[in-house]
Amino acid sequence: MFSTIGYAICIPFAALLRLFYNLTGSYGVSLILFTLVIKLILLPFQMKSKKSMVRMSRMSGKMQEIQKKYANNQLKMQEEMQKFYQEEGFNPMSGCLWSFLPLPILMALYYIIREPIVYFMNFGGKDAGLAVVDAARSLIEGAGIEIVASPGYEQIAISNIINSQFPDFIAENPGWVNIDYHFLGIDLIQTPWSAVSSLSTGITLAAVGLILIPIISGVFSFLLSKVSMSQSAQTAAANGSTKMMMWMMPLMSVYIAFIVPAALGVYWAAQSAFSIIQEMVLGKFYTKKLQEEEDARQELIQADRQKRMEEGKLLQEQQRQQAAQKKSLKEKRQEAQAAKALKAKKAATSTTEAGRVGDRPYARGRSYKADRYDDQ
């Protein structure tokens, strides 16, 4: 089952690599174009990953504050971190999965390179490809030719022998591809470590080229780690481990590139080179974009705050006017009551009342006084 799934995964990549080989006739150029197309296919996922990383870098200051504040309370710190992620609409794991996508492709390419008859030539299925391998092996062994190769790389040796000595077999199998593994004078099927061993017999340009492939791969891998690290803020604890990884990953890539066919080293060097360009471009793009989004969000927050302040001022003014209106009504009532009292007071001493006779208020005149002439 797993063998069938692996074959199904490898075939599309093998078809893409074979397409570029048919167009260019160069195995090395085909690998570089293959790497470029794969990077373009994965670009939407890598953009998502890079955006997540840049966003986390921008939020690292706030995250460090939370970690420092709740250093003695892990449960509370986790709650506050989750709350912070929800407020920001951020998933810290969203960018991790996509960063592992190149690894399955590397594994698929490894099988395509070391088993060219089954995968690269593709005779219509894995069983059909293995049948061609068995037929080619029987033909070579029947001719008394020894196949010198480790079991893992036997198909490469068989392919080279058939290409050089058995043209009739190629004619009998129309799907056969006469692969030239040389690139810039370097045999990409050879392992760079074999070139190190051959230096004792003399230094050749091909041997130097083979040795340079893993070194170039390591240099590009180091530069990629350095660019990625420079664009991400790190805590003091994580900074040390990140620096260690910045050296460990390139060293591991150099070691692996020395013990596998040089073609994989070419792929990894090209992949790292394209990734450096991608990291620099996407880093600047998302840093600028997220800054613009943050500025826009701050403007909205400021506008909302200003709106609420103006609404508060308007409400205060309305309340002041209502209070003034209530005060005015109260004063009017008080003035009316005072006027009424004054009128009543005046009425008590009014000549009208003194001159009243029954219902006639002016019967005796306005100035009538009963004691007017008493002193005279």
Side-chain angles (χ1 to χ4, degrees):
M1 177 181 176
F2 292 105
S3 176
T4 303
I5 295 174
Y7 179 81
I9 293 173
C10 291
I11 284 302
F13 297 118
L16 181 63
L17 183 61
R18 187 170 63 251
L19 171 65
F20 288 131
Y21 182 78
N22 291 334
L23 291 174
T24 64
S26 170
Y27 202 75
V29 174
S30 301
L31 284 169
I32 295 172
L33 292 177
F34 171 86
T35 308
L36 178 60
V37 170
I38 293 299
K39 291 296 290 183
L40 293 175
I41 293 173
L42 297 180
L43 184 59
F45 306 107
Q46 297 293 340
M47 290 175 68
K48 182 179 179 67
S49 175
K50 188 60 181 180
K51 183 178 181 180
S52 179
M53 292 176 62
V54 173
R55 200 170 191 183
M56 176 175 280
S57 176
R58 293 177 60 84
M59 297 190 302
S60 61
K62 179 64 176 178
M63 292 164 61
Q64 290 178 28
E65 290 179 7
I66 295 174
Q67 292 170 353
K68 185 177 180 180
K69 184 176 181 180
Y70 301 102
N72 298 324
N73 190 340
Q74 293 295 319
L75 182 61
K76 182 64 175 177
M77 182 177 70
Q78 292 177 2
E79 291 177 355
E80 290 296 321
M81 291 293 284
Q82 288 296 326
K83 182 180 178 181
F84 175 64
Y85 291 149
Q86 291 176 359
E87 290 175 351
E88 295 292 332
F90 173 71
N91 182 2
M93 299 301 294
S94 62
C96 297
L97 178 62
W98 313 118
S99 61
F100 292 101
L101 282 176
L103 296 179
I105 298 172
L106 179 65
M107 292 300 299
L109 187 62
Y110 173 69
Y111 281 99
I112 294 168
I113 292 171
R114 78 171 195 161
E115 298 183 25
I117 300 174
V118 171
Y119 295 106
F120 188 86
M121 299 182 191
N122 188 15
F123 287 94
K126 188 171 184 179
D127 292 337
L130 291 175
V132 174
V133 172
D134 292 338
R137 186 190 299 111
S138 299
L139 178 63
I140 294 171
E141 291 176 349
I145 301 173
E146 182 182 1
I147 301 174
V148 181
S150 60
Y153 300 98
E154 184 185 39
Q155 289 189 30
I156 296 174
I158 292 174
S159 173
N160 288 335
I161 294 171
I162 292 294
N163 290 335
S164 61
Q165 300 187 38
F166 297 96
D168 292 340
F169 184 86
I170 297 175
E172 293 172 0
N173 295 274
W176 191 276
V177 179
N178 190 347
I179 308 172
D180 182 6
Y181 291 103
H182 289 81
F183 175 60
L184 300 178
I186 303 170
D187 187 358
L188 297 181
I189 289 305
Q190 300 297 319
T191 61
W193 190 250
S194 66
V196 174
S197 303
S198 68
L199 290 178
S200 58
T201 60
I203 299 176
T204 63
L205 290 177
V208 173
L210 272 174
I211 295 172
L212 285 177
I213 287 176
I215 295 174
I216 294 172
S217 174
V219 170
F220 282 150
S221 182
F222 173 78
L223 292 175
L224 176 59
S225 299
K226 193 171 182 62
V227 170
S228 299
M229 182 179 173
S230 67
Q231 294 181 351
S232 61
Q234 300 288 336
T235 61
N239 196 29
S241 61
T242 303
K243 286 183 177 180
M244 183 178 68
M245 290 298 294
M246 185 177 70
W247 288 99
M248 286 296 296
M249 293 302 293
L251 291 175
M252 287 182 61
S253 68
V254 170
Y255 169 74
I256 293 172
F258 260 108
I259 61 176
V260 297
L264 272 178
V266 172
Y267 164 77
W268 197 250
Q271 196 271 342
S272 298
F274 290 137
S275 294
I276 291 170
I277 299 172
Q278 176 182 284
E279 285 289 310
M280 295 177 67
V281 173
L282 292 183
K284 291 182 180 180
F285 173 75
Y286 279 117
T287 298
K288 182 180 179 181
K289 183 177 181 180
L290 291 176
Q291 183 61 48
E292 291 174 352
E293 291 179 357
E294 181 65 21
D295 293 342
R297 192 178 71 160
Q298 290 299 325
E299 289 178 1
L300 289 175
I301 293 174
Q302 186 64 28
D304 183 64
R305 185 183 294 116
Q306 186 67 26
K307 181 181 178 181
R308 285 188 281 109
M309 289 176 61
E310 292 176 356
E311 290 176 350
K313 290 180 180 179
L314 180 62
L315 181 60
Q316 289 179 354
E317 181 63 22
Q318 290 175 349
Q319 291 175 347
R320 187 188 65 78
Q321 291 178 359
Q322 290 175 359
Q325 186 176 7
K326 290 179 180 179
K327 182 178 179 181
S328 178
L329 291 173
K330 185 177 181 180
E331 289 176 349
K332 286 181 179 180
R333 284 195 295 269
Q334 289 176 349
E335 290 175 357
Q337 291 175 357
K340 186 175 181 181
L342 180 61
K343 183 177 181 181
K345 183 178 179 181
K346 288 182 178 180
T349 57
S350 172
T351 55
T352 302
E353 295 299 320
R356 176 185 295 274
V357 176
D359 292 335
R360 296 179 296 162
Y362 304 110
R364 296 190 181 98
R366 289 178 176 274
S367 301
Y368 171 77
K369 288 184 177 182
D371 59 350
R372 182 184 295 276
Y373 300 104
D374 288 352
D375 295 338
Q376 298 178 358

